[in-house]
Amino acid sequence: MKKYSVCMSVYKNDNPTDFKEAVLSICNQTCPPDEIILVIDGPVSDIMLKTIEILSEKTGIMKVIPLPKNMGHAIARQTGLEAARNELCAVMDADDLSVPNRFEKQLKAFEKHPEVSVVGGLINEFIHTTDNVVGTRIVPENDSDIKEYLKSRCPMNLVTVMLKKSDVLKVGGYQDWYCEEDYYLWIRLALGGYKFYNIQENLVNVRVGEEMYQRRGGKKYFASEARLQKYMLDHNLISLPKYAYNVLIRWVVQVAMPNWLRGWVFRTFARN
């Protein structure tokens, strides 16, 4: 098995207990990493700092990079990626739980599909405990299906991906795009001719709040998504009718719908 890095970040609103569980789920793997890059995205609580210190000592593989102020997900992720010493880098959020053989499966997928630049998988979303699953986000398996899916929705579950650092950096890496920095990255990789693969198994248990689906809306969120659709139109990834349809659907769901109805739509049509 090749060596690989895990890149993650924390900021002021992250829960220290959840963060500890996330890190332990990385270390207790059938094929553990030889490096964890942790970016502290601006000031955090003393409890979080103490938790980081304890975990850094316990794991012996954590490299901590503090940022003087909160810079947001894109810059934090890019900072971690650039600091990683390995070509293969896995993404991990500060409150999610990787299944014990997640990374072993991804390394094997890269061995089987050496032409692929990004390997992801499915996620289970849970509230409070991992057996209280409230949704499963299924994404396509093969590169051609992933790129077709990309024309309508984000085709990768970001918190599951393991990627080739050099390929991601060639297209500019993570760049700031409100709530859509991952989708924007997949689009640029697709335009660059790079390939994707999604393992058709749950790789990460994602902790969600009870109001998570309802919050995926509002004018600012819609404006960001509409601008991304325009980017795909301008780069000939989608046609004008497809662009109009995508924007209309997003306006209806993210702006026109009340929160309670948006939550039902997400649970019914965007999750299994």
Side-chain angles (χ1 to χ4, degrees):
M1 291 295 180
K2 293 182 179 178
K3 292 182 178 180
Y4 68 95
S5 304
V6 174
C7 301
M8 60 192 309
S9 64
V10 293
Y11 83 123
K12 63 179 181 179
N13 289 345
D14 284 324
N15 181 290
T17 301
D18 294 344
F19 168 67
K20 178 182 178 180
E21 291 181 5
V23 172
L24 292 179
S25 80
I26 296 172
C27 296
N28 296 327
Q29 288 280 315
T30 55
C31 185
D34 73 327
E35 175 185 60
I36 299 173
I37 304 293
L38 176 67
V39 177
I40 304 178
D41 190 12
V44 294
S45 68
D46 290 341
I47 297 175
M48 178 62 85
L49 288 174
K50 185 63 178 177
T51 302
I52 292 170
E53 181 184 346
I54 292 171
L55 288 172
S56 181
E57 260 184 52
K58 183 174 182 178
T59 63
I61 59 171
M62 185 178 286
K63 178 180 180 180
V64 181
I65 304 174
L67 300 180
K69 63 179 181 178
N70 180 258
M71 302 298 293
H73 276 142
I75 292 177
R77 294 193 195 282
Q78 181 68 5
T79 300
L81 184 65
E82 290 175 351
R85 65 170 174 244
N86 294 311
E87 167 67 353
L88 291 180
C89 297
V91 173
M92 184 71 184
D93 267 4
D95 56 357
D96 298 333
L97 303 172
S98 287
V99 300
N101 59 352
R102 169 192 168 181
F103 300 128
E104 179 183 352
K105 287 182 178 295
Q106 290 183 289
L107 291 171
K108 287 180 177 178
F110 273 113
E111 289 180 352
K112 187 176 180 180
H113 306 283
E115 76 283 0
V116 166
S117 298
V118 185
V119 172
L122 314 186
I123 60 173
N124 281 343
E125 296 170 335
F126 72 94
I127 295 177
H128 303 312
T129 60
T130 54
D131 58 355
N132 183 27
V133 176
V134 296
T136 298
R137 185 165 192 264
I138 297 174
V139 283
E141 180 177 7
N142 298 314
D143 181 67
S144 58
D145 294 332
I146 289 170
K147 286 174 178 171
E148 187 62 31
Y149 192 89
L150 176 141
K151 298 175 183 179
S152 299
R153 298 175 57 197
C154 184
M156 309 294 290
N157 290 315
L158 174 63
V159 297
T160 70
V161 302
M162 181 181 284
L163 44 82
K164 292 179 179 175
K165 174 180 175 177
S166 60
D167 291 348
V168 171
L169 293 181
K170 284 175 187 173
V171 299
Y174 290 99
Q175 297 179 19
D176 190 37
W177 197 297
Y178 179 72
C179 290
E180 300 289 348
E181 71 275 357
D182 57 327
Y183 198 174
Y184 183 38
L185 175 57
W186 314 143
I187 290 170
R188 286 180 284 119
L189 283 167
L191 287 169
Y194 297 97
K195 295 188 176 183
F196 305 86
Y197 182 76
N198 278 316
I199 298 168
Q200 295 299 288
E201 297 180 41
N202 175 49
L203 297 185
V204 179
N205 295 310
V206 176
R207 197 184 305 271
V208 298
E210 295 178 359
E211 304 301 318
M212 185 269 290
Y213 297 123
Q214 287 90 331
R215 291 199 303 270
R216 292 187 174 178
K219 292 181 179 178
K220 187 175 181 180
Y221 191 93
F222 165 73
S224 177
E225 288 235 22
R227 193 161 57 94
L228 199 60
Q229 296 299 316
K230 182 63 164 54
Y231 182 89
M232 286 198 287
L233 174 65
D234 291 342
H235 289 79
N236 299 314
L237 270 179
I238 57 175
S239 65
L240 183 58
K242 180 66 173 176
Y243 162 76
Y245 175 81
N246 286 350
V247 171
L248 176 61
I249 289 296
R250 282 163 170 77
W251 182 84
V252 170
V253 173
Q254 296 166 2
V255 179
M257 278 187 183
N259 285 343
W260 67 267
L261 182 56
R262 184 184 306 119
W264 177 83
V265 167
F266 267 104
R267 286 190 301 270
T268 305
F269 297 105
R271 298 292 188 271
N272 285 347

